[in-house]
Amino acid sequence: MSLAVRVIPCLDVDDGRVVKGVNFQGLRDAGDPVELARRYGAEGADELTFLDVSASASGRGTMLDVVRRTAEQVLIPLTVGGGVRSAEDVDQLLRAGADKCGVNTAAIARPELITEIAQRFGNQVLVLSADVRRVTEETPDGPARAGSGFEVTTHGGRRGTGIDAIAWIAEAAERGAGEILLNSMDADGTTSGFDLELIRQARAAAGVPLIASGGAGRAEDFPPTVQAGADAVLAASVFHFGTLGIGEAKQALAAEGIPVR
């Protein structure tokens, strides 16, 4: 392993405020996004990810303003996702100061969007955000059709697609996604550890960098995630509510011989 592993705080933004829940339910206010971004920059975060969880047309102007204000004050790379439906949306976010953009639901509906964005702006700009859950024989949406045991979901994990998550990740990388943000919906906000099996399967399927998300609870949760194949680790609750600092996560990784910045 030659490249340093990145530690990335994720800020879920709803109507201009950072919120966090468990499995996308019971959202709590976690503060002002620009203030939090500034704090994480000072603490040594390698990147920041903003996800617009309202992602409605009305929320778009608010999010662009948050991105602009953050980009003016924080110098680390900024990825923005949520409600990105077109190359024009990406153009707006990049002009506001984003470095990378995440796509999810719109790419599932029309996979050609991945190619369009990658060809116009470059693979390095495009992050495929995959909200993934385990499937049993029966899901709330009917019989499971995901051979890997994981399916892609939309609408904050509330709606199953029946699309095999591992096959989708491989297809997205082939179409031009430069990075995969892999979020375990089962582990999201639970602080019970990352889904290592999901990470291993995704790593085997796609050759692009993999950001593991969902389940961080303790500093010790981070090294196994990288050992399973993640190139970056992303967390929200533990950072926002002071359970864990960026430095502690990096120390835990370094103690296992994993290079960090």
Side-chain angles (χ1 to χ4, degrees), residues 27-98:
L27 297 178
R28 283 197 287 166
D29 186 281
D32 175 71
V34 183
E35 285 178 20
L36 275 174
R38 194 188 303 121
R39 188 185 98 196
Y40 290 137
E43 284 184 15
D46 298 302
E47 294 182 11
L48 290 169
T49 293
F50 279 166
L51 294 178
D52 181 358
V53 296
S54 41
S56 62
S58 60
R60 174 67 45 157
T62 303
M63 194 63 181
L64 287 170
D65 179 60
V66 167
V67 171
R68 278 190 204 99
R69 291 190 293 125
T70 303
E72 284 168 7
Q73 298 182 43
V74 182
L75 298 177
I76 56 178
L78 178 60
T79 299
V80 184
V84 175
R85 298 180 179 89
S86 67
E88 284 65 39
D89 289 342
V90 173
D91 188 53
Q92 274 194 314
L93 287 165
L94 295 177
R95 289 176 188 277

Side-chain angles (χ1 to χ4, degrees), residues 95-231:
R95 289 176 188 277
D99 297 279
K100 295 185 272 190
C101 292
V103 296
N104 183 350
T105 304
I108 292 168
R110 198 172 67 84
E112 296 79 17
L113 177 63
I114 296 170
T115 311
E116 289 166 13
I117 294 171
Q119 287 180 348
R120 180 165 165 186
F121 303 104
N123 300 47
Q124 78 285 350
V125 160
L126 182 57
V127 179
L128 178 86
S129 182
D131 291 339
V132 177
R133 72 180 178 196
R134 290 173 178 268
V135 286
T136 52
E137 286 307 303
E138 287 288 327
T139 72
D141 307 292
R145 299 188 296 280
S148 67
F150 296 98
E151 74 167 333
V152 180
T153 68
T154 61
H155 301 78
R158 293 186 297 276
R159 190 172 299 179
T161 61
I163 296 169
D164 186 288
I166 304 306
W168 170 235
I169 286 163
E171 179 184 343
E174 284 176 20
R175 285 182 177 273
E179 206 162 34
I180 307 293
L181 170 51
L182 183 68
N183 187 32
S184 166
M185 299 308 301
D186 303 302
D188 178 78
T190 63
T191 68
S192 57
F194 293 87
D195 189 328
L196 302 182
E197 182 192 346
L198 173 60
I199 293 163
R200 280 191 284 266
Q201 285 202 39
R203 172 76 289 152
V208 299
L210 189 64
I211 305 165
S213 167
R218 306 167 304 150
E220 307 90 84
D221 291 332
F222 290 93
T225 308
V226 177
Q227 289 153 357
D231 300 280

